[in-house]
Amino acid sequence: SSSGRTEELTQEPDWELLFAEDGKCNYDIVCPENANENMIKVCQKLAVSIKKYTNAIVRVLFDDVAAPGSHEILVGPTNRPESVQALKKLRYHDYSVSCSGEKIVLAGAYEGTAVDAANWFIDHVLKPQEGADRVVLRASDTCTVSAEYPVAEMLLPGGHVNEYSIVIP
């Protein structure tokens, strides 16, 4: 269980990535093939938000059907190497919004944190650029959110950690 989260903006060299221009976006949203209803809903919400804030239409595709493309928004644990790589750096309650090449990776170790990553992208990246003819992503539009894991909540074989004693000879 987590008692809080800390948000860290990713510190990378400055870069820009053209996301949408004049109501056109080259990106597809890629959803995991085994996505449940909540994951599918967040991918649809992301598509609606992109339309709302950039006036661009994007497709929602499943990773087992769509051939990998160069411009994808990867949501959750897709079969793409960029998702796999991003997930290796995350713990259970963590999520990240990052770019790998020209792909946008919204990574979360499980459904709830993948939804959190998509919502962060909508709130912090898309909303502020509402109505712009040209939407550009920058290094400052990426983040890693880490959960805090209090030791008192940690389970060990046989019970909670607070039921154990440390014995020093």
Side-chain angles (χ1 to χ4, degrees):
S1 148
S2 68
S3 63
R5 293 186 172 162
T6 56
E7 182 177 309
E8 177 184 324
L9 295 179
T10 306
Q11 300 296 318
E12 296 180 14
D14 287 338
W15 51 263
E16 289 188 351
L17 180 63
L18 180 61
F19 182 74
E21 188 169 31
D22 297 325
K24 295 179 183 164
C25 183
N26 294 327
Y27 283 84
D28 289 324
I29 297 170
V30 178
C31 190
E33 72 173 289
N34 58 353
N36 63 21
E37 186 178 335
N38 289 333
M39 184 69 75
I40 293 168
K41 282 182 181 179
V42 81
C43 289
Q44 292 169 337
K45 177 184 177 182
L46 184 58
V48 168
S49 296
I50 289 169
K51 172 67 174 154
K52 178 180 178 180
Y53 297 118
T54 71
N55 201 31
I57 296 174
V58 297
R59 300 180 301 173
V60 177
L61 308 169
F62 288 96
D63 62 3
D64 63 329
V65 176
S70 60
H71 292 81
E72 295 178 319
I73 303 169
L74 308 175
V75 182
T78 71
N79 65 6
R80 305 295 198 258
E82 295 85 358
S83 292
V84 173
Q85 198 61 23
L87 288 170
K88 285 182 181 178
K89 301 174 187 174
L90 300 177
R91 297 175 300 165
Y92 187 68
H93 291 286
D94 301 349
Y95 65 87
S96 69
V97 175
S98 62
C99 288
S100 179
E102 293 186 330
K103 293 186 182 192
I104 300 163
V105 184
L106 309 178
Y110 72 102
E111 167 202 324
T113 53
V115 168
D116 291 341
N119 287 328
W120 191 95
F121 183 78
I122 291 166
D123 293 340
H124 293 89
V125 178
L126 296 176
K127 278 184 184 179
Q129 299 196 56
E130 183 175 10
D133 291 332
R134 188 169 197 265
V135 177
V136 175
L137 303 182
R138 296 177 174 81
S140 60
D141 294 325
T142 63
C143 77
T144 298
V145 176
S146 299
E148 295 177 12
Y149 298 86
V151 173
E153 297 294 323
M154 188 169 57
L155 293 175
L156 296 173
H160 287 281
V161 70
N162 59 356
E163 296 172 0
Y164 282 78
S165 299
I166 297 175
V167 178
I168 300 173

